């Protein structure tokens, strides 16, 4: 089931034109609740990461800041800012595609879940080749 939702995130990331191609999908009761992509460059807002935008949208739709009955799917392992927001929202599961050995805060570089003493389930590497290709193509074109 998680590959289906990750594919939705990857498809969203493919449509990004000016930002790093990262997208996030929030799922509630096996239904897509929110789909957002990076808008940092577009909005000139360093907090406009896909995860932050998806979390805000889901919280608004459910009228709560606690998302403990939700899962989040991200095309790139969350950075510390996003990971802390994911943990604070109390997501049940975090699924991501590509690992980020530079800034990943779900186990690659650091694991903020250990610091926050969270019960979140984390699974990385879902459709990893697709996520890696998307990022590699973006950065090749940028250079």
């Amino acid at each position: 089931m998680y590959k289906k939702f990750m594919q939705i995130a990857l498809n969203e990331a493919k449509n990004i034109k000016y930002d790093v191609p990262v997208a996030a999908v929030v799922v509630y009761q096996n239904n897509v609740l929110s789909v957002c992509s990076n808008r940092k460059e577009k909005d000139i807002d360093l907090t406009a990461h896909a995860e932050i935008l998806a979390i805000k949208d889901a919280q608004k739709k459910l009228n709560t800041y606690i998302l403990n009955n939700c899962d989040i799917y991200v095309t790139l392992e969350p950075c510390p800012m996003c990971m802390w927001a994911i943990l604070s929202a109390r997501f049940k599961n975090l699924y991501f595609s590509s690992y980020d050995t530079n800034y990943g805060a779900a186990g690659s570089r650091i694991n903020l879940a250990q610091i926050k003493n969270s019960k979140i389930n984390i699974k990385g590497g879902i459709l990893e080749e697709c996520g890696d290709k998307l990022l590699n193509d973006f950065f090749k074109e940028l250079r």
Side-chain angles (χ1 to χ4, degrees):
M1 180 68 82
Y2 53 79
K3 286 184 181 179
K4 169 186 149 184
F5 295 120
M6 186 60 72
Q7 190 61 61
I8 293 169
L10 288 165
N11 289 342
E12 177 71 14
K14 287 177 189 173
N15 295 323
I16 299 171
K17 301 294 181 219
Y18 302 104
D19 279 283
V20 177
V22 177
V25 173
V26 175
V27 174
Y28 174 68
Q29 296 178 341
N30 285 322
N31 293 302
V32 174
L33 181 63
S34 179
V35 179
C36 293
S37 57
N38 270 357
R39 294 177 46 156
K40 191 169 75 167
E41 298 291 332
K42 183 178 180 184
D43 292 357
I44 311 170
D45 178 355
L46 65 88
T47 67
H49 289 206
E51 300 95 321
I52 300 296
L53 298 172
I55 290 168
K56 286 181 177 183
D57 186 48
Q59 289 171 331
K60 184 182 270 187
K61 287 176 178 172
L62 294 176
N63 195 33
T64 181
Y65 67 92
I66 303 298
L67 300 174
N68 60 340
N69 291 317
C70 296
D71 298 332
I72 188 164
Y73 295 77
V74 189
T75 59
L76 178 65
E77 181 179 359
C79 71
M81 174 181 71
C82 294
M83 188 64 189
W84 199 260
I86 289 166
L87 295 171
S88 295
R90 301 185 198 152
F91 278 92
K92 189 180 210 175
N93 298 295
L94 161 65
Y95 302 100
F96 64 89
S97 180
S98 296
Y99 289 88
D100 185 347
T101 57
N102 291 321
Y103 305 106
S108 287
R109 184 70 176 181
I110 60 172
N111 187 348
L112 289 181
Q114 291 175 333
I115 295 170
K116 189 151 175 68
N117 195 23
S118 171
K119 295 178 181 158
I120 192 169
N121 298 306
I122 300 171
K123 180 165 177 54
I126 300 164
L127 301 176
E128 186 175 6
E129 288 179 16
C130 297
D132 289 352
K133 182 177 180 349
L134 197 59
L135 290 164
N136 290 334
D137 290 350
F138 173 80
F139 286 111
K140 277 182 193 170
E141 191 174 308
L142 195 63
R143 293 177 186 134

